[in-house]
Amino acid sequence: VSEYYDLMNDLLSFGAHRLWKRLAVELSSIREDFKVLDIAGGTGDITKLISSKIGEGGQLILSDFNKKMLLEGRNRLLDSGINNVSYAQINAQYLPFNDDSFDLVTVAFGLRNFAEKEIALESIYNSLKPKGSLMVLEFSKPQNEVFKELYDLYSFEVMPIIGNLITKSSESYRYLAESIRMHPDQDELKALFEETGFTNCSYENLFNGIVAIHRGFKE
Ligand code: SAM
């Protein structure tokens, strides 16, 4: 669904994903000289927001293991005149970088899809410099029961229909709803961060916990 990906994000979230991504990048306290790796970066929304914060001494890599998504991202960023980004087709579970390489690693709406989350978190941890941080923006668990019921109804009944209308693939959007329910909730993900070795781990709920921003630091 790579060619419909951006349109579907806007439609299904009523544009809210733009706000979530902006907040996630603002919370990441990025400095001009940072070396940043955006993992599962897809069509490059997060990379695009970060690119204006990175100066001469910094480095920014947009990565994804799906070539089509990465190419969509690359074309989109180049078309917007952004030329301080490198591109890498890589699997989050096997990062091909030296230990202690990055000040910040970002993963937006990607971690949920990783088959081996623990291995990916370990690989990310190793690639971070000491004091470097990981920011994960991901769907999570709504905190209010009534809100949760409405959200379930929307996810399982409405989203696949919209998905089918636009992309002719209701399956992908059924997968989306199911993968969100299977993903660790806020506290479980925080515990996974801590088990990997991250310190000062915390999360912020957005939209009653539909989405959460997790952060953790390398010692
Ligand atoms: N970060 C972008 C955003 O927020 O719009 C894209 C998120 S998209 C929902 C999920 C992305 O994760 C897809 O582009 C997919 O190719 C990528 N992905 C899934 N598993 C991956 C893995 N093991 N390694 C790298 N990328 C992966």
Side-chain angles (χ1 to χ4, degrees):
V1 296
S2 54
E3 64 266 50
Y4 299 109
Y5 179 75
D6 296 320
L7 172 68
M8 290 304 289
N9 274 352
D10 277 334
L11 278 179
L12 294 178
S13 75
F14 305 101
H17 75 106
R18 291 168 185 261
L19 175 69
W20 300 334
K21 287 169 178 166
R22 205 164 275 282
L23 279 169
V25 168
E26 288 311 319
L27 267 182
S28 300
S29 321
I30 299 167
R31 286 204 323 252
E32 264 194 13
D33 60 345
F34 264 22
K35 296 199 184 321
V36 182
L37 172 65
D38 185 19
I39 292 181
T43 55
D45 280 355
I46 293 284
T47 298
K48 191 173 178 187
L49 290 169
I50 294 175
S51 66
S52 60
K53 297 180 181 288
I54 299 294
E56 288 278 291
Q59 187 188 12
L60 175 57
I61 303 174
L62 169 63
S63 73
D64 200 287
F65 79 167
N66 181 316
K67 194 172 171 186
K68 273 192 163 177
M69 289 292 274
L70 192 59
L71 281 176
E72 287 278 337
R74 183 170 169 272
N75 291 340
R76 211 174 135 226
L77 297 192
L78 289 175
D79 287 348
S80 324
I82 294 167
N83 49 24
N84 62 345
V85 175
S86 310
Y87 301 87
Q89 188 184 356
I90 51 176
N91 189 329
Q93 287 151 199
Y94 310 101
L95 296 179
F97 300 104
N98 290 333
D99 286 0
D100 305 344
S101 291
F102 298 101
D103 298 286
L104 171 69
V105 171
T106 58
V107 189
F109 303 112
L111 189 70
R112 187 184 74 252
N113 304 295
F114 300 167
E116 306 274 4
K117 295 180 191 29
E118 288 85 353
I119 294 179
L121 286 173
E122 208 178 307
S123 189
I124 291 169
Y125 187 88
N126 291 336
S127 77
L128 280 169
K129 294 180 187 175
K131 298 202 173 104
S133 66
L134 165 65
M135 183 286 290
V136 170
L137 170 66
E138 190 51 271
F139 291 107
S140 207
K141 195 172 164 206
Q143 303 297 289
N144 174 291
E145 271 309 311
V146 179
F147 193 76
K148 185 178 164 298
E149 294 290 321
L150 290 171
Y151 176 56
D152 280 350
L153 193 73
Y154 175 69
S155 313
F156 287 104
E157 304 301 331
V158 183
M159 274 188 353
I161 295 173
I162 303 177
N164 195 31
L165 279 175
I166 310 273
T167 68
K168 306 280 171 271
S169 165
S170 56
E171 249 341 280
S172 301
Y173 292 91
R174 204 158 283 122
Y175 163 78
L176 174 63
E178 278 162 13
S179 68
I180 291 170
R181 298 330 183 266
M182 307 271 290
H183 186 65
D185 70 18
Q186 288 85 336
D187 288 320
E188 287 165 347
L189 184 56
K190 183 167 171 254
L192 265 184
F193 268 47
E194 286 163 348
E195 281 160 28
T196 309
F198 286 99
T199 56
N200 292 325
C201 301
S202 62
Y203 63 80
E204 298 281 340
N205 281 325
L206 309 179
F207 283 36
N208 194 252
I210 283 189
V211 162
I213 300 169
H214 281 74
R215 293 186 76 203
F217 293 79
K218 184 164 172 175
E219 286 252 89

